[in-house]
Amino acid sequence: MDQLVTYELRDEIALIGLNRPAKRNAVSDRVVEALNLAIERAQLEAKAAVIHGEGTHFCAGLDLAEHSEKPLIAAVQGSRRWHRIFDGIERGGIPFVVALQGAVVGGGFELAAAAHVRVADETAFFGLPEGTRGIFVGGGGSVRIARLIGTQRMGDMMLTGRTVSPVQMEQWGGVSYVVPAGQALERAITLAKATAQNAPMSNYAIINALPRIRDMSSEDGLFVESLMSALTSVTPEATERLRAFLEKRTAKLAAPTE
Ligand code: 1HE
């Protein structure tokens, strides 16, 4: 049987592909478990990861055929399972970049929101049709998507069932890069490689401290920031990288080209 989620380790970057294109990569229980295995494997052996979708759509969200059969308690437990698995992306040990094309819908958008960097191509469209389907988000969207684009915009998408273009989504803060059709995966890999060059402790701090500090009071956040700042500074990687800059052995920053 075909793998529901593909996995390839390429130059220390894990490429994780949703691979159910005939069902527009709809996320069934088996897909979410396969995704979990791929995420755990990536955390062990890769320096960064890219999540992408096979076919013309990134992900049509929750598998509605499977979901419609579920009793109440199984639906709650299923949602909590998505939460734990997506938390392993957002607060794991390595950066995740997501490459988006076609439908980025419902649970597909929630998955994308758990990644650290989002790249969409011009064919991408975003939707939260939960209102029209008689359900609610269950993959962490009410926390992550609401914080990315704002509760009002998320509520608008859920209530009206509208779809949003990648350019609009970039203006709203839901994606960071919009690229020509067919180029999202390539750009996502390039960005993942860039993140993989960082000191591991810096990446760990960025991934784990930032979302926690967001949930703290300003005073607690600043205190935790000072500890993370000091901790990262005393690592051998920081000592070497700072010295390399001062001795002009490393590249300077340059103004953006686009
Ligand atoms: C599916 C699903 C799905 C497609 N679950 N089977 N998500 C949605 O409400 C989105 C529903 N899907 C769509 O609106 C469209 O399928 C798409 C815009 C994504 C793609 O359209 P298209 O014309 O390319 O494909 P299609 O012909 O609609 O679908 C191809 C097949 O995939 C078809 O099955 P077939 O057996 O008739 O070939 C569809 O039934 C199937 N398919 N999407 C199951 N989602 C953790 S809570 C999160 C809550 C949500 O995610 S709500 C959003 C659910």
Side-chain angles (χ1 to χ4, degrees):
M1 192 166 48
D2 285 347
Q3 281 183 299
L4 292 169
V5 173
T6 58
Y7 183 94
E8 181 193 340
L9 186 66
R10 195 191 294 174
D11 303 331
E12 300 189 306
I13 308 298
L15 302 182
I16 298 173
L18 302 173
N19 187 30
R20 211 187 166 204
K23 295 288 180 186
R24 308 307 184 246
N25 297 324
V27 181
S28 62
D29 288 348
R30 288 180 53 236
V31 170
V32 86
E33 293 308 326
L35 184 61
N36 186 40
L37 287 179
I39 292 163
E40 285 183 346
R41 185 169 165 193
Q43 307 273 8
L44 290 174
E45 63 184 19
K47 287 195 169 165
V50 172
I51 300 178
H52 61 104
E54 302 292 347
T56 51
H57 296 282
F58 172 67
C59 177
L62 180 69
D63 186 316
L64 297 173
E66 185 178 79
H67 190 72
S68 64
E69 307 284 320
K70 280 192 176 163
L72 174 61
I73 186 67
V76 175
Q77 287 164 342
S79 168
R80 297 299 288 157
R81 184 84 184 127
W82 284 47
H83 290 162
R84 281 193 294 278
I85 292 171
F86 288 6
D87 202 53
I89 298 172
E90 190 190 33
R91 301 182 189 198
I94 57 170
F96 278 81
V97 182
V98 71
L100 307 170
Q101 82 282 359
V104 184
V105 169
F109 192 7
E110 295 182 286
L111 169 60
H116 306 102
V117 181
R118 279 161 291 280
V119 183
D121 85 6
E122 286 164 349
T123 72
F125 58 95
F126 299 80
L128 292 168
E130 281 82 355
T132 53
R133 304 274 181 251
I135 56 177
F136 192 69
V137 284
S142 61
V143 173
R144 293 197 187 94
I145 297 174
R147 286 177 178 179
L148 268 181
I149 67 173
T151 302
Q152 292 293 325
R153 289 177 181 134
M154 183 180 181
D156 171 5
M157 290 179 73
M158 288 181 76
L159 288 167
T160 64
R162 70 184 284 196
T163 54
V164 175
S165 72
V167 170
Q168 179 77 80
M169 190 50 76
E170 186 184 25
Q171 286 165 2
W172 285 3
V175 295
S176 301
Y177 302 84
V178 180
V179 298
Q183 293 184 18
L185 180 56
E186 188 188 332
R187 177 67 78 89
I189 292 172
T190 302
L191 292 166
K193 284 183 178 165
T195 68
Q197 303 304 311
N198 297 336
M201 191 61 197
S202 286
N203 277 350
Y204 189 82
I206 292 163
I207 291 165
N208 282 280
L210 281 182
R212 287 181 172 83
I213 290 172
R214 180 193 57 201
D215 291 341
M216 293 175 189
S217 68
S218 297
E219 184 49 36
D220 289 345
L222 294 175
F223 179 71
V224 171
E225 178 187 279
S226 69
L227 297 181
M228 288 313 307
S229 174
L231 265 176
T232 51
S233 309
V234 296
T235 58
E237 286 96 340
T239 310
E240 163 51 23
R241 283 163 187 249
L242 297 179
R243 191 181 298 130
F245 174 76
L246 296 172
E247 293 172 0
K248 306 194 187 310
R249 289 188 279 116
T250 191
K252 291 182 194 176
L253 292 184
T257 51
E258 59 179 89

